[in-house]
């Protein structure tokens, strides 16, 4: 494998760009090929079989471009098919998952909200993540239908987006959450709007920086870091 080869990054749409941005900041020597499946977005309400099929097709394309590593910049696809992609590919595969553990470790009220797609929240991988979180922390799942569509449409702060955010975020804050985990790669595009809705003192956690750090480690081990 050539260290000068590009890194493949994919998502159902533009959400994974929030991960690509972190990779570019932390690993400026790397070239990225970004695949956003905007023709078939969203993945969040599709069947497991469909998400597996779409992801396999994208990975096949990325492989044809000669990538040295694959980043699944989609919580939904990671939850559903990270294991099968890892088994299939002989290169580093790094996924993304809601930052439940960092959130649970740092909350002061002992209550965190996890904003993600219905599919991610219903996955066995997410259930496992919750099962290993400290028992004294209350984790409130918050599926956010429609929010991803606002991002795809570039509606970062329109009345419709703000109304949806009030519907999803206000109950979390009212329940006492001081930490909101952004469990979908589209949502960091709405960080400002979410902060505005949640009010001061609420912490947002985006796992993208941790994904970039993990990628760096995974490339470093086999001498593939550029
Ligand atoms: N950006 C994706 C994620 O992180 C999913 C959005 C969707 O396609 O529903 O889960």
């Amino acid at each position: 494998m050539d260290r000068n080869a590009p890194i493949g990054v994919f998502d159902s749409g533009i959400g994974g760009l929030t991960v690509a941005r972190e990779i570019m900041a932390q690993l400026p020597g790397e070239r990225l090929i970004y695949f956003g499946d905007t023709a078939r977005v969203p993945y969040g309400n599709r069947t497991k079989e469909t998400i597996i099929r779409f992801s396999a097709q994208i990975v096949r394309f990325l492989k044809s471009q000669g990538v040295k590593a694959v980043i699944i910049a989609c919580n939904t696809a990671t939850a559903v098919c990270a294991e099968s992609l890892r088994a299939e590919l002989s290169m580093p595969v790094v996924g993304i998952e809601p930052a439940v553990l960092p959130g649970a470790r740092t909350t002061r009220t002992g209550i965190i909200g996890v904003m993600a797609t219905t599919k991610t929240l219903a996955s066995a991988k997410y259930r496992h993540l919750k099962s290993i979180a400290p028992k004294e922390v209350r984790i409130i799942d918050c599926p956010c239908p429609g929010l991803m569509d606002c991002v795809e449409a570039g509606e970062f702060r329109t009345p419709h987006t703000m109304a949806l955010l009030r519907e999803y975020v206000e109950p979390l804050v009212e329940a006492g959450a001081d930490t909101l985990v952004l469990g979908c790669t589209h949502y960091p595009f709405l960080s400002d709007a979410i902060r505005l809705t949640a009010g001061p003192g609420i912490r947002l956690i985006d796992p993208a920086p941790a994904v970039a750090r993990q990628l760096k480690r995974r490339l470093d081990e086999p001498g593939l870091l550029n």
Side-chain angles (χ1 to χ4, degrees), residues 49 85 102 133 154 161 173 191 196 204:
E49 291 68 32
L85 291 180
T161 304
V173 177
S191 289
L196 209 63
L204 307 187

Side-chain angles (χ1 to χ4, degrees), residues 11-12 15-16 41-45 73-76 117 120 148 183-186:
D11 178 44
S12 61
V41 69
Y43 282 12
N45 50 10
C74 175
N75 291 266
T76 310
T117 65
T120 297
M148 184 278 323
C184 168
T185 52
H186 281 75

Side-chain angles (χ1 to χ4, degrees), residues 137-174:
V137 173
R138 181 172 165 217
I139 300 166
I140 308 175
D141 293 352
C142 179
C144 302
L147 215 51
M148 184 278 323
D149 308 82
C150 297
V151 173
E152 286 289 322
E155 293 189 22
F156 298 157
R157 230 195 256 197
T158 60
H160 171 60
T161 304
M162 296 312 285
L164 271 185
L165 283 177
R166 276 196 299 279
E167 185 185 326
Y168 297 142
V169 171
E170 279 178 3
L172 299 174
V173 177
E174 276 159 23

Side-chain angles (χ1 to χ4, degrees), residues 45-117:
N45 50 10
R46 292 189 185 269
T47 63
K48 188 175 169 186
E49 291 68 32
T50 303
I51 297 170
I52 291 175
R53 184 159 52 86
F54 287 176
S55 301
Q57 288 167 346
I58 295 169
V59 164
R60 209 171 306 139
F61 166 76
L62 291 172
K63 270 176 77 178
S64 76
Q65 302 301 302
V67 298
K68 64 180 176 183
V70 168
I71 310 303
I72 313 171
C74 175
N75 291 266
T76 310
T78 301
V80 171
C81 57
E83 302 317 324
S84 54
L85 291 180
R86 277 196 189 106
E88 219 171 274
L89 293 168
S90 51
M91 63 177 80
V93 176
V94 177
I96 188 164
E97 63 186 17
V100 170
L101 302 180
R105 274 197 296 268
T106 50
T107 173
R108 286 165 187 232
T109 58
I111 304 170
I112 69 172
V114 180
M115 301 169 69
T117 65

